[in-house]
Amino acid sequence: MYVCSCFGITENQVEQHARDGACTPRQIASACKAGTDCGSCVRRIQALLGRGACPRRELADQGRPVLTEIPAGTPADLPEAA
């Protein structure tokens, strides 16, 4: 069933993004644009996310890091161009 008719995003797609680590409607929007046009699907996305487990939330509950560290030498460590 479609969740976001603006971008043709289905429940299965939202659930897959959640399994991949998206835990909030904003993270779902970043992954597939759902909820970024008219916004009428945001509550449905929230409901879908509320039903399932969030891998990052589970890690946080266990006191483990929820984000991976960026390895040294990546662009984040390089000085900004002047």
Side-chain angles (χ1 to χ4, degrees):
M1 173 175 277
Y2 283 101
V3 173
C4 176
S5 57
C6 295
F7 294 104
I9 306 301
T10 64
E11 283 185 11
N12 288 336
Q13 289 172 297
V14 170
E15 290 166 355
Q16 181 59 53
H17 289 303
R19 283 191 295 275
D20 291 341
C23 298
T24 66
R26 183 170 286 173
Q27 291 169 341
I28 294 292
S30 292
C32 64
K33 291 188 173 182
T36 62
D37 194 27
C38 77
S40 66
C41 61
V42 173
R43 286 185 182 223
R44 180 76 181 127
I45 293 168
Q46 288 172 326
L48 288 169
L49 293 174
R51 274 198 257 156
C54 174
R56 284 190 236 174
R57 191 175 304 127
E58 289 172 7
L59 289 173
D61 289 344
Q62 296 169 7
R64 296 171 51 196
V66 294
L67 299 176
T68 59
E69 292 185 21
I70 299 171
T74 59
D77 291 335
L78 300 176
E80 291 185 33

